[in-house]
Amino acid sequence: MAVYSLPELPYDYAALEPVINPQIVELHHDKHHAAYVKGANDTLEQLAEARDKEAWGSINGLEKNLAFHLSGHILHSIYWHNMTGDGGGEPLAADGVGDLADAITESFGSFAGFKAQLTKAAATTQGSGWGVLAYEPLSGRLIVEQVYDHQGNVGQGSTPILVFDAWEHAFYLQYKNQKVDFIDAMWAVVNWQDVSRRYMAAKERGDSLLLAP
């Protein structure tokens, strides 16, 4: 039985227009995200077989594949909920997300500074990857990370709460090679309510992730 399954989209394919057209959403979710789910499940089966046979010659490749596909599944599952057709702007106390707004200001100096850093991080990620806003439990602060592929170059223990997909399959059919234009447009569909819920949840369980008492 499969361990992981493809989550349903929280909206229809056209919900994010004009920022992301329906064809991209459909292909991205139904094909690319689905492939990461299948890859994670297949790799777990291959690891089980390796254990049964005590055949460890392929362990390095299998562990890398598991990290790649599982992280791809997790990041995409966050990505879909991080967006809404009614989103955009910036988080405000008047909208019930004041704690998130305060945390952004405390961690980055201002919303404008945070927005510029995450935009640059996502747009300049070398090759394929993500720009990520994450809660870092050791400092209790928010940080921006560049995630190469799906799993590289991240602080262990940090929890992603806002993710910008900078892989070409996320934008090429609509934006061609203009990744910067896509990242700039993404700010118009950010679901701050979802980001805020993720921030509060990460903050509440942060102490349990600390490395020392």
Side-chain angles (χ1 to χ4, degrees):
M1 180 179 294
V3 174
Y4 303 107
S5 59
L6 180 68
E8 294 184 4
L9 286 172
Y11 35 69
D12 62 40
Y13 296 138
L16 303 176
E17 285 194 296
V19 174
I20 307 178
N21 69 39
Q23 183 183 18
I24 289 179
V25 175
E26 181 178 6
L27 288 171
H28 196 168
H29 176 267
D30 296 2
K31 300 299 183 182
H32 291 281
H33 188 172
Y36 301 128
V37 173
K38 184 179 185 302
N41 286 323
D42 287 350
T43 305
L44 286 178
E45 291 181 2
Q46 292 162 10
L47 283 165
E49 182 179 355
R51 290 193 300 272
D52 290 342
K53 296 180 178 180
E54 296 188 358
W56 301 113
S58 59
I59 186 67
N60 286 343
L62 289 174
E63 295 290 0
K64 183 177 180 180
N65 285 345
L66 181 61
F68 177 83
H69 290 295
L70 179 54
S71 295
H73 172 39
I74 291 170
L75 288 169
H76 280 93
S77 296
I78 298 170
Y79 179 68
W80 303 123
H81 286 274
N82 273 171
M83 297 184 289
T84 175
D86 299 322
E90 64 179 275
L92 300 171
D95 297 324
V97 292
D99 287 345
L100 173 64
D102 290 344
I104 288 174
T105 299
E106 180 179 351
S107 298
F108 300 99
S110 66
F111 177 78
F114 152 67
K115 182 178 179 180
Q117 184 177 343
L118 181 54
T119 297
K120 291 296 184 182
T124 61
T125 300
Q126 295 177 337
S128 298
W130 301 70
V132 173
L133 173 67
Y135 176 77
E136 196 286 290
L138 290 180
S139 65
R141 295 172 63 87
L142 296 173
I143 60 173
V144 164
E145 298 178 318
Q146 283 183 319
V147 180
Y148 297 138
D149 289 334
H150 294 314
Q151 78 279 18
N153 204 40
V154 298
Q156 300 299 318
S158 61
T159 300
I161 63 173
L162 173 62
V163 299
F164 280 10
D165 192 343
W167 286 64
E168 287 190 346
H169 65 238
F171 63 88
Y172 201 85
L173 289 177
Q174 185 173 355
Y175 292 86
K176 305 306 184 223
N177 63 334
Q178 299 302 311
K179 183 191 294 186
V180 175
D181 291 346
F182 170 64
I183 300 302
D184 285 339
M186 275 288 298
W187 290 100
V189 294
V190 173
N191 184 346
W192 292 115
Q193 297 293 329
D194 181 69
V195 179
S196 178
R197 286 191 293 269
R198 294 178 187 280
Y199 166 66
M200 298 305 294
K203 186 177 180 181
E204 288 173 3
R205 69 172 185 266
D207 289 346
S208 67
L209 298 177
L210 295 178
L211 303 181

